[in-house]
Amino acid sequence: MSVVVCSDLDRTIIYSNASLGLGAPDAMLPRLLCVELYQAQPLSFMTEAAARALEALADAATFVPTTTRTPEQYARVHLLDKPSAYAICANGGHILMDGVDDADWAQGVRARAAETATALAEVGEHLASISGAFVLKRRTASDLFAYAVVDRAALPQGWVEDLTGWCAERGWRTSVQGRKVYCLPEGLTKAAAAAEVARRTGAGTMLAAGDSLLDIELLEAADASIRPAHGELHDTGWTSPSTAVTTARGIEAGEEILAWLLDRTAAAAPQRSFTEPSPEKKTNTSGSEVVHPAF
């Protein structure tokens, strides 16, 4: 296929109860499809219209779920009747092919992270030392990064900023997504794994979607991309000439994102190989769409 579509999952195309963002009266709300169960309870949803668009998108392009979830967390999500041939997990730390982890890729990622950043154990120890009652859980993921589940309302002023500065001095970065505060080595990116999948599939065009600071490299690497009008990127005002912004928020933004990706896939013609340099990309924005809603 000539087009590969790499999309973040949580708060981009799937939504938990806490992130639905539905403000209309109950009688006017869209029908929702549960796409994830956890401990036999419904956890994540998309609209039925979004699910139909995703099925059409997967038929027209190589659709690659691209997530910070671990492979185990990703396995709970059921997006398509036929699962995607490729998936990117742990923020690029794992590439799954037909559900099987590419061990060589994972080993290479770990080796590169070990060369460029402070050890995960030190980051975990620091998180423990600065935790208080506002930190509900601390976890490590795939032996690659750490995160804390926090009570956002109780976070001390400046806590995230201080953690961000400490991490930056040691080759790590932070991201706040919902109730989770992530600490990841700087070299661990979705974009690197997406480029590898594009190379393997021979894609000539890459499209992407995401909502967090961890998605910036992916969105910038794509030929065209889209982000929702909510989330970490929206809160910081981030955009780029090749990145569109939805007019909707919450789960309805997920529906808009998938419709946008489907439209761009249909319009895409065979272009350059994704692995070839494109010096024109930053200055030639024709064919891309940037929407600036007044929120």
Side-chain angles (χ1 to χ4, degrees):
M1 292 184 181
S2 62
V3 180
V4 63
V5 178
C6 295
S7 177
D8 178 49
L9 297 182
D10 296 280
R11 293 171 299 279
T12 297
I13 63 171
I14 69 174
Y15 291 79
S16 67
N17 278 315
S19 64
L20 290 176
L22 293 171
D26 289 349
M28 299 176 63
L29 296 181
R31 282 166 50 116
L32 301 181
L33 176 68
C34 178
V35 295
E36 179 184 15
L37 295 173
Y38 180 59
Q39 296 180 346
Q41 298 297 317
L43 187 61
S44 298
F45 306 85
M46 61 197 320
T47 69
E48 286 193 340
R52 290 193 296 269
L54 180 56
E55 288 287 352
L57 181 62
D59 286 341
T62 300
F63 176 73
V64 185
T66 306
T67 179
T68 307
R69 288 172 176 245
T70 64
E72 295 77 18
Q73 292 167 335
Y74 167 69
R76 302 195 304 249
V77 180
H78 302 282
L79 297 172
L80 297 159
D81 287 339
K82 180 182 179 182
S84 299
Y86 288 92
I88 294 169
C89 296
N91 213 67
H94 294 275
I95 294 176
L96 307 184
M97 299 180 295
D98 294 322
V100 178
D101 191 19
D102 182 333
D104 290 339
W105 174 264
Q107 182 178 359
V109 169
R110 282 166 176 74
R112 290 189 292 274
E115 292 173 357
T116 59
T118 293
L120 172 62
E122 182 177 340
V123 176
E125 290 170 2
H126 181 70
L127 265 179
S129 72
I130 63 173
S131 294
F134 55 90
V135 175
L136 308 178
K137 298 176 184 177
R138 293 191 311 275
R139 296 286 187 269
T140 59
S142 295
D143 294 324
L144 283 169
F145 60 90
Y147 66 92
V149 180
V150 301
D151 179 351
R152 289 285 295 271
L155 274 178
Q157 185 174 3
W159 187 85
V160 172
E161 291 77 8
D162 289 345
L163 175 62
T164 298
W166 186 93
C167 286
E169 292 174 356
R170 292 160 176 80
W172 288 65
R173 56 181 173 163
T174 59
S175 173
V176 181
Q177 302 177 38
R179 299 191 307 147
K180 293 181 179 178
V181 180
Y182 290 94
C183 301
L184 299 94
E186 290 179 352
L188 182 64
T189 68
K190 295 177 180 180
E196 175 63 15
V197 172
R199 184 191 67 80
R200 296 183 188 186
T201 60
T205 299
M206 176 181 283
L207 304 175
D211 73 306
S212 81
L213 293 175
L214 301 179
D215 295 313
I216 288 178
E217 296 94 342
L218 177 64
L219 300 181
E220 290 182 331
D223 294 281
S225 58
I226 185 169
R227 69 163 178 84
H230 63 249
E232 203 174 25
L233 292 180
H234 191 70
D235 292 344
T236 59
W238 182 89
T239 189
S240 80
S242 58
T243 302
V245 182
T246 65
T247 56
R249 297 185 182 195
I251 196 169
E252 291 176 325
E255 185 176 313
E256 186 177 342
I257 285 168
L258 287 165
W260 187 95
L261 292 169
L262 183 57
D263 286 346
R264 295 309 178 278
T265 296
Q271 299 174 9
R272 63 177 175 85
S273 169
F274 179 70
T275 56
E276 294 175 358
S278 179
E280 306 83 17
K281 180 174 182 289
K282 295 300 182 183
T283 56
N284 179 10
T285 60
S286 60
S288 64
E289 177 185 354
V290 182
V291 182
H292 298 284
F295 286 114

